[in-house]
Amino acid sequence: SFTNAQTKGRDSRRKADLEAIKKALELFKQDTIGQYYYPINPYSGSLAPTYIKTMPQDPKTPANYYYWNNGCTGSLCSGEYRLIAQLENINDPQIASSKLQCPDPGGLGYSQYAYVVCP
């Protein structure tokens, strides 16, 4: 029971982290030339501290969340992005709904535990 509560807490944090990164990416996009660009790597210092205080990491593994973007030239990307976190609760209903909202653009091969956020 305590372990389940910890797992759900970490998964909630992962979802909130991805939403915070998404908001920072959209703010960055608004400030770029032509309002069409995202950074090629949000962990490179392009978002923090201007658009987000610090870049969040997975609460269990202290690793960066996975970020994918297409249409990149130099240090900017004009295509759609995907932010992905691996959830611990494999029965979380938001896993399936996030994949429906953000379908695999081809080649990413979402894992069965992937929670996905897109623009």
Side-chain angles (χ1 to χ4, degrees):
S1 164
F2 179 69
T3 302
N4 288 340
Q6 288 181 313
T7 296
K8 287 180 181 181
R10 285 189 297 268
D11 283 349
S12 292
R13 166 102 182 266
R14 289 176 180 105
K15 293 173 191 177
D17 285 350
L18 293 191
E19 289 298 326
I21 296 169
K22 176 183 177 176
K23 288 177 185 172
L25 285 166
E26 296 305 322
L27 290 170
F28 179 92
K29 179 182 174 186
Q30 288 178 6
D31 285 351
T32 59
I33 301 168
Q35 299 182 4
Y36 296 110
Y37 298 100
Y38 299 106
I40 194 165
N41 178 359
Y43 285 92
S44 66
S46 53
L47 297 181
T50 305
Y51 302 100
I52 191 170
K53 186 175 180 180
T54 59
M55 288 300 292
Q57 293 184 312
D58 186 271
K60 187 173 182 179
T61 63
N64 295 344
Y65 292 107
Y66 183 75
Y67 173 77
W68 172 90
N69 198 318
N70 67 354
C72 299
T73 305
S75 63
L76 296 174
C77 303
S78 60
E80 282 194 19
Y81 63 82
R82 299 291 187 269
L83 290 163
I84 303 170
Q86 300 299 320
L87 300 187
E88 294 176 67
N89 176 9
I90 62 173
N91 298 314
D92 188 314
Q94 289 184 325
I95 291 173
S97 63
S98 74
K99 291 176 186 174
L100 288 174
Q101 184 178 355
C102 305
D104 188 337
L108 285 181
Y110 297 150
S111 83
Q112 67 187 72
Y113 312 126
Y115 175 78
V116 187
V117 171
C118 59

